[in-house]
Structures are given as C-alpha cells and as structure tokens.
C-alpha cells in the first residue's frame, strides 16, 4: 500500500520545494506538478509532490493519518474520522456504475 503525505510548501525553486509537515521541513521534488508558491498544500510520495491539494483535503488526509496512528497505538481515533462517521460510505466516482 502506498501512502501520500500532505505537506505545505514553505519555499523553494522551480523544481524543488522545502515543504513542512508538523514542524519538520523536507526537500520535495516538484517535477510532476510544476513550481508552487509558498502556502500551497501538496500530496507527497517518496520525496515527490504528486498533486496539489486544497487546505480542506490536506487537513482531512492529515487527520486520517493521525487516526491510523492512534488506532495502532490503541487510543481513541473516531474523532479524527468525523467526516466518515456521519455518512454512509461512498465509492469513488471512477468505481461507480453511473
């Protein structure tokens, strides 16, 4: 399974960015998505930004990752999945028969 990590661009150049997550700064390649201004949220995988995210989607992914970590540690995690607890699960658009 591959896990994408949401990060926020804090600086960089055309091909590389310094990205922050939870106070830690990492160099991230922008070769797949192009240059991004500081403040942009990106989904990263193995040192590369693979997609631009809006702030809400970045927050939801970050909370889901925190929820998984809490569940593994045996702590309460339900509040971190609030967006899923209040509705029925839905298939992604590309898997629907519509």
């Amino acid at each position: 399974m591959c896990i994408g990590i949401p990060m926020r661009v804090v600086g960089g150049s055309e091909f590389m960015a310094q990205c922050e997550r939870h106070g830690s700064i990492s160099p991230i390649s922008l070769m797949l998505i192009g240059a991004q201004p500081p403040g942009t949220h990106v989904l990263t995988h193995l040192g590369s930004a693979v997609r631009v995210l809006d702030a809400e989607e970045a927050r939801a992914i970050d909370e889901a990752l925190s929820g998984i970590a809490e569940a593994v540690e045996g702590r309460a995690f339900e509040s971190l999945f609030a967006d899923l607890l209040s509705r029925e699960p839905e298939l992604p658009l590309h898997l629907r028969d519509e």
Side-chain angles (χ1 to χ4, degrees), residues 7-8 10 16-21 24-29:
M7 300 185 85
R8 186 178 51 84
V10 294
M16 291 295 293
Q18 296 299 314
C19 294
E20 183 269 336
R21 181 171 189 265
S24 180
I25 306 283
S26 300
I28 299 294
S29 170

Side-chain angles (χ1 to χ4, degrees), residues 29-53:
S29 170
L30 298 175
M31 295 295 288
L32 296 174
I33 64 169
Q36 299 297 318
T40 302
H41 294 273
V42 294
L43 186 65
T44 67
H45 179 68
L46 297 174
S48 293
V50 295
R51 182 163 69 89
V52 173
L53 302 171

